[in-house]
Amino acid sequence: MASFATSWLCIFFLLCCAYAGEAEYILYKDHKQHLNNRIKDLLSRMTLAEKIGQMTQIERKNASADVMKNFFIGGVLSGGGSVPAPMASAEVWVNMVNEIQRAALSTRLGIPMLYGIDAVHGHNNVYNATIFPHNIGLGATRDPELVRRIGVATALEVRATGIPYTFAPCIAVCRDPRWGRCYESYSEDHAVVQAMTEIIPGLQGDIPANSSKGVPYVAGKDKVAACAKHFVGDGGTHNGINENNTIIDRHGLLSIHMPAYYNAIIHGVSTVMVSYSSWNGVKMHADYNLVTGYLKNTLKFRGFVISDWQGIDRITTPADVNYTYSVQQGVNAGIDMVMVPYDYPTFINELTSLVNKGVIPMSRIDDAVRRILRVKFTMGLFEIALADLSFAEQLGSREHRDLAREAVRKSLVLLKNGKRANEPILPLPKKASSILVAGTHANNLGYQCGGWTIEWQGGSGDTTVGTTILDAIKFTVDGSTDVIYSENPDASLVKANNFSYAIVVVGETPYAETNGDNLNLTIPDPGPSTIQTVCGAIKCVVVIISGRPVVITPYIASIDALVAAWLPGSEGQGVADVLFGDYGFTGKLPRTWFKSVDQLPMNVGDKHYDPLFPFGFGLTTMPTGRMISGAVVRNEHYGMVSLFINLLVTFIVSKTCCFEGCLFFDWE
């Protein structure tokens, strides 16, 4: 009898467990359920405090466990230079992100937070990451497939540190190089910018064939959510002043600054960041007609809209003069997640009060949270919220550095090659008795990477891991060639040595955003004097490191060859690869090179277009390499078709130039 009773007790216990298990079923946690059903179920369970928490993104320094749990914070970010420790490893990053995530998961509903970072030319905040050329250099490549591969590599390196979201790409159309963010723009021509949105499927993965337009998509744990920015017209501000007013009619806005957003949305971009700038006097962060009316309703964007860093604060002038008004205007305009890195309690209190008073309708809050949840569900954060170290070896990998080196090669634009057309100086001979390398930028990794590298404004010296242009030159030349380096040589040094030729590397020092606004665009000292001292005495190649065209008219006559290298990033070897002819010059100007700043703004198609070098200009050289029957062949394995084409090209051009100096005058 006792045995019979025990059996029934066991059965009863199992039935209770089964019932309890069934009762614990939560629809939004079931990945087999339709996305919309999961969103609807979770949204129905959320309090106002939990909803407003999801709309709040804070700086990682403030993201303690208590803050995450008490305020139900939905997003965390690293600002420029905000790192868990100097030179932090992938493991240190992953542990930090997971610590914050565990706090988010411990809340009542367990909604994972979304961590974002500005990986705008590679994973640029992180030590030892691959630093790719800034966007202006990628625009010079005219190679969307290359940019797509850079997106793939960047996603892997971002995931290596446990981060699933990047505030990239910037798809601004820079119409004035005096703008401090011009290097973040691929081109002055919207068509080039549109083509370069191919980086989005690189970062996020290809959207499914049957996907609806505007629906965000992230393919898996090796991909990251992307962010198209800054909506809209940020590259067209008056006099190129950062965060200023873009004065243009609706047709101009839609035909120049908007087209890349069409492409981004078609690619399934997850988020869109609003610009600090204004359009005809209306702050973009408060522009309902563009943010909600056009982006969400006309373009059918279904991801979420995020503010820029303290973006709603700047709706008023001066900032914060009426914060309640700013919150009301920003959220009602259609901003879904608000970047309030520091004073998040005030934002949360103000937004809560505005909702309770009916100034901001609950429907607007629900729309914002629905969009945020859609992105989080699509990313798979509810299934895999915590990161691991499975991608740690991707950070700064050899494969990615080789890709960056390729991008550098393709980004270089040859503006001049020889003082006479029939006397080219490039490619340079690798074997020479001695050569001079000069200039502030020849041996400075921080300078060649530019802003948004380790620190927000960039830095000087060995800020991260990479190859300087000087080291690349030393590696490339013949072992018997003596390489003499002087940052700023005087005339006596130049004259006392019988240099075969000189390579002068000068340009802009690093900057970001407003700190880069510049009305004169001159090369900083001692760059001009270095050019004059060296090029006035010996044959010279000048390599300009800059985020935009700069003033070169006073020096160009004395320069034998001129190369625009933009901001090439960590892999300086790509510069030497082309200077010495292992690869040819192929880059084309992504923007017009002016004669004088008095001409600005000046863009291709303008009525009075009179540039020093026009948009799309770029001389082309053939690679030297090793010779087979007169054809240029590098160390790759060429198929018969490639060899035939090479031989044909050789035959066509052999009557007019030699391979050591052959050039073609190419426009777009």
Side-chain angles (χ1 to χ4, degrees), residues 411-418 424-427 541-542 560-566 578-579 584-589 613 617-621 661-664 666:
S411 70
L412 303 180
V413 180
L414 181 57
L415 299 174
K416 182 179 180 181
N417 192 11
I425 182 175
L426 294 171
V541 177
V542 173
D560 291 278
L562 179 64
V563 177
W566 315 113
V578 183
L579 289 180
F585 281 93
T586 58
K588 306 298 177 191
L589 283 181
F613 299 106
F617 178 84
L619 305 177
T620 303
T621 62
C662 183
L663 59 87
F664 303 91
D666 283 352

Side-chain angles (χ1 to χ4, degrees), residues 442-478:
N443 193 36
N444 195 312
L445 191 63
Y447 281 10
Q448 75 186 43
C449 289
W452 288 111
T453 308
I454 303 303
E455 298 289 343
W456 173 40
Q457 293 293 325
S460 176
D462 294 332
T463 55
T464 188
V465 177
T467 302
T468 67
I469 294 171
L470 174 63
D471 286 340
I473 291 169
K474 290 179 177 179
F475 178 81
T476 303
V477 298
D478 187 82

Side-chain angles (χ1 to χ4, degrees), residues 11 16 32 78 85 131 168 170 304 387 421 429 441 484 486 558-559 571 574 577 592 634:
I11 293 170
C16 287
K32 295 179 181 179
S78 278
I131 307 299
C170 177
F304 71 78
H441 290 56
I484 306 298
S486 176
S558 65
I559 295 171
E571 306 312 303
D577 287 344
T592 299
R634 293 190 297 274

Side-chain angles (χ1 to χ4, degrees), residues 222-480:
D222 60 341
K223 300 296 181 183
V224 295
C227 178
K229 65 183 189 183
H230 307 87
F231 186 86
V232 58
D234 50 337
T237 56
H238 181 62
N239 288 337
I241 298 171
N242 192 42
E243 304 181 21
N244 201 11
N245 190 23
T246 299
I247 304 169
I248 194 171
D249 62 20
R250 184 176 178 85
H251 173 74
L253 186 77
L254 297 186
S255 63
I256 295 173
H257 299 284
M258 191 69 77
Y261 287 94
Y262 310 155
N263 296 76
I265 290 168
I266 289 169
H267 285 311
V269 72
S270 295
T271 71
V272 171
M273 183 182 290
V274 182
S275 176
Y276 287 127
S277 59
S278 304
W279 176 43
N280 294 334
V282 179
K283 290 280 189 179
M284 285 304 311
H285 274 75
D287 197 325
Y288 173 88
N289 291 328
L290 281 175
V291 176
T292 294
Y294 200 85
L295 177 64
K296 290 183 174 181
N297 295 342
T298 301
L299 297 185
K300 307 299 182 185
F301 174 63
R302 294 178 64 192
F304 71 78
V305 175
I306 188 168
S307 81
D308 208 331
W309 178 279
Q310 296 179 323
I312 64 167
D313 304 48
R314 305 188 201 185
I315 288 174
T316 58
T317 303
D320 294 330
V321 70
N322 187 340
Y323 192 64
T324 302
Y325 173 82
S326 295
V327 174
Q328 174 186 332
Q329 292 297 105
V331 174
N332 274 339
I335 297 172
D336 304 310
M337 184 176 281
V338 182
M339 203 181 284
V340 279
Y342 303 121
D343 196 8
Y344 52 90
T346 299
F347 167 75
I348 290 171
N349 289 337
E350 292 288 356
L351 182 53
T352 303
S353 175
L354 288 167
V355 174
N356 287 333
K357 292 175 181 177
V359 177
I360 295 177
M362 184 59 74
S363 59
R364 171 76 274 272
I365 300 300
D366 286 346
D367 172 62
V369 177
R370 187 178 294 110
R371 289 168 176 275
I372 293 165
L373 295 178
R374 180 179 293 119
V375 170
K376 290 184 176 184
F377 277 122
T378 301
M379 293 174 68
L381 279 180
F382 281 82
E383 284 67 57
I384 306 176
L386 297 175
D388 56 38
L389 293 173
S390 58
F391 297 112
E393 293 183 359
Q394 297 288 341
L395 191 68
S397 71
R398 183 73 265 159
E399 181 182 2
H400 295 168
R401 292 187 182 277
D402 287 344
L403 176 61
R405 181 175 169 182
E406 177 188 349
V408 174
R409 290 195 297 261
K410 292 179 175 180
S411 70
L412 303 180
V413 180
L414 181 57
L415 299 174
K416 182 179 180 181
N417 192 11
K419 292 181 178 177
R420 299 175 191 81
N422 61 345
E423 295 180 9
I425 182 175
L426 294 171
L428 294 168
K430 295 180 181 178
K431 191 167 186 177
S433 57
S434 67
I435 64 174
L436 172 65
V437 179
T440 50
H441 290 56
N443 193 36
N444 195 312
L445 191 63
Y447 281 10
Q448 75 186 43
C449 289
W452 288 111
T453 308
I454 303 303
E455 298 289 343
W456 173 40
Q457 293 293 325
S460 176
D462 294 332
T463 55
T464 188
V465 177
T467 302
T468 67
I469 294 171
L470 174 63
D471 286 340
I473 291 169
K474 290 179 177 179
F475 178 81
T476 303
V477 298
D478 187 82
S480 64

